[in-house]
Coordinates of all heavy atoms in Angstrom, one line a residue:
E278 N -2.4 -7.2 -1.3 CA -2.5 -5.9 -1.9 C -1.3 -5.0 -1.6 O -1.2 -3.9 -2.2 CB -3.8 -5.2 -1.4 CG -5.1 -5.9 -1.7 CD -5.3 -5.8 -3.2 OE1 -5.4 -4.7 -3.8 OE2 -5.5 -6.9 -3.9
R279 N -0.4 -5.4 -0.7 CA 0.6 -4.5 -0.3 C 1.5 -4.1 -1.5 O 1.7 -2.9 -1.8 CB 1.5 -5.1 0.8 CG 2.6 -4.2 1.4 CD 3.3 -4.9 2.5 NE 4.3 -5.9 1.9 CZ 5.5 -5.6 1.7 NH1 6.0 -4.4 1.9 NH2 6.3 -6.5 1.2
L280 N 2.2 -5.0 -2.1 CA 3.1 -4.7 -3.2 C 2.4 -4.1 -4.4 O 3.0 -3.4 -5.2 CB 3.9 -6.0 -3.6 CG 4.8 -6.5 -2.6 CD1 5.5 -7.8 -3.1 CD2 5.9 -5.5 -2.2
K281 N 1.1 -4.4 -4.5 CA 0.3 -3.9 -5.6 C 0.3 -2.4 -5.7 O 0.1 -1.8 -6.7 CB -1.1 -4.5 -5.5 CG -1.8 -4.7 -6.8 CD -3.1 -5.5 -6.5 CE -3.9 -5.7 -7.7 NZ -5.2 -6.4 -7.4
N282 N 0.4 -1.8 -4.5 CA 0.3 -0.3 -4.4 C 1.6 0.4 -4.5 O 1.6 1.6 -4.6 CB -0.4 0.0 -3.0 CG -1.8 -0.5 -2.9 OD1 -2.5 -0.5 -4.0 ND2 -2.3 -0.8 -1.8
F283 N 2.7 -0.3 -4.5 CA 4.0 0.4 -4.6 C 4.1 1.2 -5.8 O 4.5 2.4 -5.7 CB 5.1 -0.6 -4.5 CG 5.6 -0.9 -3.1 CD1 4.8 -1.6 -2.2 CD2 6.9 -0.6 -2.7 CE1 5.3 -1.9 -1.0 CE2 7.3 -0.8 -1.5 CZ 6.5 -1.5 -0.6
R284 N 3.8 0.7 -7.0 CA 4.0 1.4 -8.2 C 3.1 2.7 -8.3 O 3.6 3.8 -8.7 CB 3.7 0.6 -9.4 CG 4.1 1.2 -10.7 CD 3.9 0.3 -11.9 NE 4.5 0.9 -13.1 CZ 3.9 1.9 -13.9 NH1 2.7 2.3 -13.5 NH2 4.4 2.4 -14.9
S285 N 1.9 2.6 -7.8 CA 1.0 3.8 -7.9 C 1.5 4.9 -6.9 O 1.4 6.0 -7.2 CB -0.4 3.4 -7.6 OG -0.5 2.7 -6.3
I286 N 2.0 4.5 -5.8 CA 2.5 5.5 -4.8 C 3.8 6.1 -5.4 O 3.9 7.3 -5.3 CB 2.8 4.8 -3.5 CG1 1.5 4.4 -2.8 CG2 3.6 5.8 -2.6 CD1 1.7 3.6 -1.5
R287 N 4.6 5.3 -6.1 CA 5.8 5.9 -6.7 C 5.4 6.9 -7.8 O 6.0 7.9 -8.0 CB 6.7 4.8 -7.3 CG 7.4 4.0 -6.3 CD 8.0 2.7 -6.9 NE 8.6 1.9 -5.9 CZ 9.0 0.6 -6.1 NH1 8.7 0.0 -7.2 NH2 9.6 -0.1 -5.1
R288 N 4.4 6.5 -8.6 CA 3.9 7.4 -9.7 C 3.4 8.7 -9.1 O 3.6 9.7 -9.6 CB 2.9 6.7 -10.5 CG 2.3 7.5 -11.6 CD 1.5 6.7 -12.6 NE 0.8 7.6 -13.5 CZ 0.2 7.2 -14.6 NH1 0.3 5.9 -15.0 NH2 -0.4 8.0 -15.4
G289 N 2.7 8.5 -8.0 CA 2.1 9.7 -7.3 C 3.2 10.7 -6.8 O 3.1 11.9 -6.9
I290 N 4.3 10.1 -6.3 CA 5.4 10.9 -5.9 C 6.0 11.7 -7.1 O 6.4 12.8 -7.0 CB 6.5 10.0 -5.2 CG1 6.0 9.5 -3.8 CG2 7.8 10.8 -5.0 CD1 6.8 8.5 -3.1
T291 N 6.1 11.0 -8.2 CA 6.6 11.6 -9.4 C 5.7 12.8 -9.8 O 6.2 13.9 -10.2 CB 6.6 10.6 -10.6 OG1 7.5 9.6 -10.2 CG2 7.1 11.3 -11.9
Q292 N 4.4 12.7 -9.6 CA 3.5 13.8 -9.9 C 3.7 14.9 -9.0 O 3.7 16.1 -9.4 CB 2.0 13.3 -9.9 CG 1.1 14.4 -10.3 CD -0.3 13.9 -10.5 OE1 -0.6 12.7 -10.5 NE2 -1.3 14.8 -10.7
V314 N -1.2 11.0 -2.3 CA -0.2 10.0 -2.1 C -0.1 9.6 -0.7 O -0.2 8.4 -0.4 CB 1.2 10.5 -2.6 CG1 2.2 9.5 -2.3 CG2 1.2 10.8 -4.1
S317 N -3.0 7.5 0.4 CA -2.8 6.1 0.0 C -1.9 5.3 0.8 O -2.1 4.2 1.1 CB -2.4 6.1 -1.5 OG -2.3 4.8 -2.0
Q321 N -2.4 1.8 4.1 CA -1.7 0.6 4.0 C -1.7 -0.2 5.3 O -0.7 -0.6 5.9 CB -0.2 0.8 3.6 CG 0.0 1.1 2.1 CD 0.2 -0.2 1.4 OE1 1.1 -1.0 1.7 NE2 -0.6 -0.5 0.4
F394 N 8.6 3.6 0.1 CA 7.9 3.1 -1.0 C 8.8 3.2 -2.3 O 8.5 2.6 -3.3 CB 6.6 3.7 -1.2 CG 5.6 3.2 -0.2 CD1 5.4 3.8 1.0 CD2 4.9 2.0 -0.5 CE1 4.5 3.2 1.9 CE2 4.0 1.5 0.4 CZ 3.8 2.1 1.6
L395 N 9.8 4.1 -2.3 CA 10.7 4.2 -3.4 C 11.8 3.2 -3.3 O 12.3 2.6 -4.3 CB 11.4 5.6 -3.4 CG 10.4 6.8 -3.7 CD1 11.2 8.1 -3.5 CD2 9.8 6.7 -5.1
A556 N 3.2 -3.3 -23.5 CA 2.7 -1.9 -23.6 C 3.3 -1.1 -22.5 O 3.8 -1.6 -21.5 CB 1.2 -1.8 -23.5
A557 N 3.4 0.2 -22.8 CA 3.8 1.1 -21.7 C 2.9 0.9 -20.5 O 1.7 0.9 -20.6 CB 3.7 2.6 -22.2
G558 N 3.5 0.8 -19.3 CA 2.7 0.6 -18.1 C 2.3 -0.9 -18.0 O 1.5 -1.2 -17.1
G559 N 3.0 -1.8 -18.7 CA 2.6 -3.2 -18.7 C 2.7 -3.8 -17.3 O 1.9 -4.6 -16.9
D560 N 3.7 -3.4 -16.5 CA 3.9 -3.9 -15.2 C 2.7 -3.6 -14.3 O 2.4 -4.3 -13.4 CB 5.2 -3.4 -14.6 CG 6.4 -4.0 -15.2 OD1 6.3 -5.1 -15.8 OD2 7.5 -3.4 -15.0
S561 N 2.1 -2.4 -14.5 CA 1.0 -2.0 -13.7 C -0.3 -2.7 -14.2 O -1.1 -3.1 -13.4 CB 0.8 -0.5 -13.8 OG -0.3 0.0 -13.1
I562 N -0.4 -2.8 -15.6 CA -1.6 -3.4 -16.1 C -1.8 -4.9 -15.7 O -2.9 -5.3 -15.4 CB -1.5 -3.4 -17.7 CG1 -1.6 -1.9 -18.2 CG2 -2.7 -4.2 -18.3 CD1 -1.2 -1.7 -19.6
R563 N -0.7 -5.6 -15.5 CA -0.8 -7.0 -15.1 C -1.3 -7.1 -13.7 O -1.7 -8.2 -13.2 CB 0.6 -7.7 -15.3 CG 1.6 -7.2 -14.4 CD 3.0 -7.7 -14.8 NE 3.1 -9.1 -14.6 CZ 3.6 -9.6 -13.4 NH1 3.9 -8.8 -12.4 NH2 3.7 -10.9 -13.3
L564 N -1.4 -6.0 -12.9 CA -1.9 -6.0 -11.5 C -3.3 -5.6 -11.4 O -3.9 -5.5 -10.3 CB -1.0 -5.2 -10.7 CG 0.5 -5.7 -10.5 CD1 1.3 -4.7 -9.6 CD2 0.5 -7.1 -9.9
Y590 N -6.8 5.2 -5.1 CA -5.7 5.8 -5.8 C -5.0 4.8 -6.7 O -4.8 5.0 -7.9 CB -4.7 6.4 -4.8 CG -3.6 7.1 -5.5 CD1 -3.7 8.3 -6.0 CD2 -2.3 6.5 -5.6 CE1 -2.6 9.0 -6.7 CE2 -1.3 7.1 -6.2 CZ -1.4 8.3 -6.8 OH -0.4 8.9 -7.4
S591 N -4.6 3.6 -6.1 CA -3.8 2.6 -6.9 C -4.6 2.1 -8.0 O -4.0 1.9 -9.1 CB -3.4 1.5 -5.9 OG -2.6 2.0 -4.9
G592 N -5.9 1.8 -7.8 CA -6.7 1.3 -8.9 C -6.8 2.2 -10.1 O -6.7 1.8 -11.2
I593 N -7.0 3.5 -9.8 CA -7.1 4.5 -10.8 C -5.8 4.6 -11.6 O -5.9 4.8 -12.8 CB -7.5 5.9 -10.2 CG1 -9.0 5.9 -9.8 CG2 -7.3 7.0 -11.2 CD1 -10.0 5.8 -10.9
V594 N -4.7 4.6 -10.9 CA -3.4 4.7 -11.6 C -3.3 3.5 -12.6 O -2.8 3.7 -13.7 CB -2.3 4.8 -10.6 CG1 -0.9 4.6 -11.3 CG2 -2.3 6.1 -9.9
R595 N -3.7 2.3 -12.2 CA -3.5 1.2 -13.1 C -4.5 1.3 -14.3 O -4.1 1.0 -15.4 CB -3.8 -0.1 -12.3 CG -2.7 -0.5 -11.4 CD -2.9 -1.9 -10.8 NE -3.9 -1.9 -9.7 CZ -3.7 -1.7 -8.5 NH1 -2.4 -1.3 -8.1 NH2 -4.6 -1.8 -7.6
M596 N -5.7 1.9 -14.0 CA -6.6 2.2 -15.1 C -6.0 3.1 -16.1 O -6.1 3.0 -17.3 CB -7.9 2.7 -14.6 CG -8.7 1.8 -13.7 SD -9.5 0.5 -14.7 CE -10.7 0.0 -13.5
L597 N -5.4 4.2 -15.6 CA -4.7 5.2 -16.4 C -3.6 4.6 -17.3 O -3.4 4.9 -18.4 CB -4.2 6.4 -15.6 CG -5.2 7.3 -15.0 CD1 -4.6 8.2 -14.0 CD2 -5.9 8.1 -16.1
D598 N -2.8 3.7 -16.6 CA -1.7 3.0 -17.3 C -2.3 2.2 -18.5 O -1.6 2.2 -19.6 CB -0.9 2.1 -16.4 CG 0.0 2.9 -15.5 OD1 0.4 4.0 -15.9 OD2 0.4 2.4 -14.5
L599 N -3.4 1.6 -18.3 CA -4.0 0.8 -19.4 C -4.5 1.8 -20.5 O -4.2 1.6 -21.7 CB -5.1 0.0 -18.9 CG -6.0 -0.8 -20.0 CD1 -5.1 -1.8 -20.6 CD2 -7.2 -1.4 -19.3

Side-chain angles (χ1 to χ4, degrees):
E278 296 293 305
R279 184 180 76 93
L280 292 178
K281 211 171 174 182
N282 293 328
F283 268 68
R284 188 177 187 279
S285 56
I286 291 172
R287 289 168 180 164
R288 177 168 173 164
I290 291 172
T291 299
Q292 183 167 353
V314 174
S317 186
Q321 280 273 302
F394 284 91
L395 295 174
D560 288 342
S561 181
I562 294 170
R563 65 193 292 272
L564 296 178
Y590 181 80
S591 299
I593 287 291
V594 169
R595 288 189 285 273
M596 295 287 200
L597 287 169
D598 280 337
L599 174 67

